[in-house]
Structures are given as C-alpha cells and as structure tokens.
Amino acid sequence: MTRPRFNRILLKLSGEVLMGNGQFGIDPATVARVAGEIAAAKDAGHELCVVVGGGNIFRGLAAAAKGFERTSADYMGMLATVMNALAVQNALEQIGVDTRVQSAIPMSTVCEPFIRRRAERHMEKGRIVIFAAGTGNPYFTTDSAAALRAAEMNCDALFKGTSVDGVYDADPKKVDTAKRYETVSFNRVLSDDLKVMDASAVALCRDNNIPIVVFNIREQGNLARVLAGDGTATIVQNEEG
C-alpha cells in the first residue's frame, strides 16, 4: 500500500527509545542517532515537532502502583520528559538543527513555556519544536499530549516511533502468529484494545482526523523511509465513507 506524503508531522518518541540497550536513563549514542533521523526528515522537507515520553527515567503510573500518590508521581514523570527533551535538543543542535523546547510546566530558566502561536512561528522558521512535560496535567499520558499538540499544531499526522514495526492483532513478542495491519481504523483500535496509544489519545486523533503512523524508530533510517512512503508501518485512520 502506498502511504500518502505528510508534510507537517508530530513525532512521538517513547522515553524507552532513548535508553538504547540500557535498562534506564539516557544513552548519548542513541539520542544522537535519533537526532540524525529527525534531521534527515527535516532535510527532506518535512516540518516536525516532537513529544518525548519519560519512561526511561520515571514512570508515574508504575510509581503510583507502588504507593506514590498519583498526582505527585505524574508530575515527577512530567519532569522526566523535560530532561529527555533537553537531551534531544542538545543532540539536534550539535548537528546544526535549530531547536526549541517548550514545556507545559513553566520553567523559564530551562526552556520556553508552551505558547501555541510561538511554537507555530518556530516551525514556520524551520525550527524543530520539542514539547515537554506532557499536557501539564496529571492523569494524562504523553500519548495524550502528543495527540493534543498534533491537533493544536495542525499536523497532517502523528508518527509514533516504537520498538515494533506497526500495529498487530496480538503482541508479536509473545504470539508468533500475530498479524500486522497495513491500515486499521481508529474504531477497531478502540474496540479491540490494540494498545497503539491510550484510548483518549486515539479518540482525540479520530475526532480531529489525524492519522497515527506506527513504525519502528529503533531501525536505522526508518523514519525517513516511512515518511517517503516506504518501509514498514501501520496507519491508523478513519474509515472512508
């Protein structure tokens, strides 16, 4: 299936991607590789903004399950995303890509506050904008933040970079016969609980007609290939008609 070309995209990176082969934290070599992928996409003429998760440093939901108060745990997770955003910004700027970090939790000595019009202007000037601190609210994941920012920034699609090459009808790491979808509807994802993103993020993309493209970011050069319509990925979109 030939995928359409998307001009303005929001790239959602899980925090785990930045660990490389480690068990936690930030691997500089992996961050540099991911930055190179983002730079290549920009050089190909795409406008990009990025949302980074924080699971490589702190996961609020897991901490809450172990006794942390949920709101405090979620705020700690948001702060972890700021650390990741600064790491990606540093890697991008080392290779000459002009980048801005905007945080939903104001911290003016570290980065800009999230202001939609300012973010729009940065993108018009060819800068990469990295959105940090999720939505700024507890009980919302960075998946939901990605869907929200994609809608606010009028993105053509939300690209979710994961460790698998698309959406399957079962966990491909556990089920050998799992089938990968080339395309699947938002409603199927929600009704079958396919674990693409959390339900609120999927519903927000559905209601705003923003396709979700799920692909393997760990594979060298894959972002550029998928953006060009090649490579392996799954598009989650509204059913036609």
Side-chain angles (χ1 to χ4, degrees):
M1 184 190 75
T2 301
R3 285 187 292 274
R5 176 182 169 86
F6 300 109
N7 179 40
R8 175 176 286 194
I9 69 163
L10 184 140
L11 175 63
K12 168 60 168 63
L13 296 173
S14 67
E16 287 85 349
V17 167
L18 305 183
M19 295 189 303
N21 294 322
Q23 297 299 311
F24 60 88
I26 299 171
D27 175 52
T30 300
V31 177
R33 182 189 63 77
V34 171
E37 302 249 343
I38 296 170
K42 179 179 180 297
D43 290 342
H46 298 278
E47 297 179 346
L48 286 96
C49 48
V50 182
V51 168
V52 189
N56 56 319
I57 298 172
F58 190 89
R59 187 174 291 280
L61 192 60
K66 294 180 179 179
F68 272 77
E69 195 272 323
R70 174 67 187 271
T71 301
S72 296
D74 280 354
Y75 279 123
M76 293 168 72
M78 291 180 223
L79 296 178
T81 72
V82 177
M83 296 172 68
N84 283 339
L86 293 175
V88 174
Q89 179 187 38
N90 177 70
L92 283 166
E93 292 189 337
Q94 284 186 348
I95 56 176
V97 179
D98 203 7
T99 310
R100 298 290 186 274
V101 173
Q102 291 197 347
S103 171
I105 299 174
M107 46 187 80
S108 58
T109 58
V110 174
C111 56
E112 296 180 2
F114 170 67
I115 300 172
R116 186 185 64 83
R117 288 182 179 271
R118 183 180 290 178
E120 283 268 13
R121 187 64 176 145
H122 286 321
M123 294 187 70
E124 288 169 4
K125 291 183 175 181
R127 297 167 182 151
I128 304 291
V129 182
I130 305 172
F131 299 115
T135 67
N137 301 288
Y139 295 93
F140 288 89
T141 67
T142 51
D143 280 349
S144 292
L148 175 62
R149 298 292 182 247
E152 289 178 304
M153 302 305 294
N154 296 309
C155 291
D156 300 322
L158 191 164
F159 275 58
K160 175 154 183 171
T162 70
S163 58
V164 294
D165 59 359
V167 180
Y168 288 77
D169 59 0
D171 187 343
K173 296 177 181 178
K174 298 178 181 176
V175 181
D176 292 337
T177 57
K179 170 192 169 186
R180 187 182 66 82
Y181 295 100
E182 281 289 327
T183 181
V184 62
S185 70
F186 289 116
N187 289 335
R188 170 64 67 84
V189 167
L190 292 170
S191 64
D192 291 1
D193 194 21
L194 293 180
K195 306 295 185 184
V196 175
M197 305 174 86
D198 67 71
S200 60
V202 174
L204 186 56
C205 286
R206 179 193 62 189
D207 295 346
N208 290 280
N209 200 27
I210 301 170
I212 302 171
V213 181
V214 182
F215 70 105
N216 186 351
I217 189 67
R218 295 181 184 270
E219 186 179 327
Q220 184 83 30
N222 206 27
L223 174 59
R225 284 194 294 273
V226 173
L227 279 168
D230 301 320
T232 303
T234 298
I235 296 186
V236 184
Q237 59 189 353
N238 281 315
E239 295 170 321
E240 295 183 2

